[in-house]
Amino acid sequence: MWPEVFSPQILKLLVSSVGQTLYMVGVAGLIGTLIGLPLGVFLATSRRGELFAAPAINNAIGLVVNAARSTPFIILVVAIVPLTRLIAGTSIGTSAAIVPLTIAAAPFIARVIEAAIRGVDQGLIEAARAMGATPLQIVQKVLLPEALPAIVSALTLTVVSLIGYSAMVGAVGGGGLGDLGIRFGYQRFMPDVMLVVVLVLIVLVQGVQSLGDFLARRLDKRARF
């Protein structure tokens, strides 16, 4: 069994699939953060009586975010095929898979960052206000720095989720480790290949989680080393 798994052809495909998975997760995570970070800050600071109070817009955006998060990922992938074709020029392949991955990641990131910012001590915000800081300065110099360890942990959780989603897009021709596991492990009756794919995914998730935990501890001013 194992010599077949470690044949040059399978090893080459495995290395290529790991690269495709890292590419999909990296790009989707980056674009999702660029969209989700400001969205999360706005959701955390725009309720009634807060820094940028706009409750009607907050509720409207909140509904959209919740709707996106409630949609099962595999249904989302199929439902937005026209949009994926419009953006990527195709609905198949790793570049195309980045579109649904980003759309799934952005609202998730927005909510976890909202939660991270809401965890900041209210007393710090009041102190900054008393010193004459503007709402934007409070966000830049109080909320984001204080919430940074929690934001790093939240982004780590997002990347771990994206690794799982990236394996799922393999079922619809998205490439990556999921595609390798389905094409060889399932369709060609090679369970050993599927096992190796699962082991590689576990290693990737564990590596990302350990790195995220390390960075969060380093950024947490309350942590003791």
Side-chain angles (χ1 to χ4, degrees):
M1 178 175 79
W2 292 104
E4 188 176 11
V5 174
F6 293 111
S7 66
Q9 182 198 9
I10 297 295
L11 283 176
K12 186 178 178 182
L13 285 171
L14 184 63
V15 171
S16 171
S17 298
V18 170
Q20 290 173 351
T21 294
L22 293 177
Y23 167 64
M24 287 188 286
V25 172
V27 176
L30 177 61
I31 300 175
T33 301
L34 292 177
I35 299 171
L37 178 59
L39 205 54
V41 171
F42 179 77
L43 287 171
T45 58
S46 58
R47 290 185 181 177
R48 193 180 305 279
E50 296 187 347
L51 293 174
F52 302 100
I57 301 176
N58 181 292
N59 289 336
I61 293 177
L63 283 173
V64 174
V65 167
N66 289 342
R69 291 183 60 209
S70 302
T71 305
F73 181 68
I74 195 69
I75 294 177
L76 175 71
V77 171
V78 176
I80 65 166
V81 163
L83 177 64
T84 302
R85 283 193 183 131
L86 182 67
I87 295 174
T90 177
S91 61
I92 298 174
T94 51
S95 294
I98 290 172
V99 177
L101 285 171
T102 301
I103 292 176
F108 184 81
I109 291 173
R111 281 302 187 199
V112 293
I113 286 181
E114 178 191 6
I117 289 177
R118 288 193 179 282
V120 175
D121 186 356
Q122 190 66 26
L124 293 174
I125 300 173
E126 296 302 326
R129 273 178 165 160
M131 289 188 286
T134 64
L136 190 58
Q137 287 174 326
I138 293 174
V139 170
Q140 291 176 329
K141 298 182 179 179
V142 178
L143 292 180
L144 289 178
E146 289 294 324
L148 192 55
I151 289 174
V152 170
S153 295
L155 293 178
T156 301
L157 177 63
T158 303
V159 173
V160 168
S161 298
L162 280 176
I163 291 174
Y165 285 162
S166 73
M168 210 179 298
V169 295
V172 290
L177 286 166
D179 183 56
L180 178 66
I182 290 170
R183 281 195 296 123
F184 285 82
Y186 179 69
Q187 296 176 345
R188 300 189 185 185
F189 304 105
M190 297 173 69
D192 45 338
V193 173
M194 188 174 290
L195 177 60
V196 170
V197 165
V198 171
L199 290 175
V200 172
L201 286 170
I202 291 172
V203 170
L204 283 179
V205 167
Q206 186 59 49
V208 169
Q209 188 65 58
S210 298
L211 178 62
D213 290 345
F214 171 76
L215 291 175
R217 283 198 303 272
R218 296 291 297 178
L219 292 168
D220 191 349
K221 291 179 284 189
R222 297 166 299 180
R224 296 179 179 178
F225 299 97

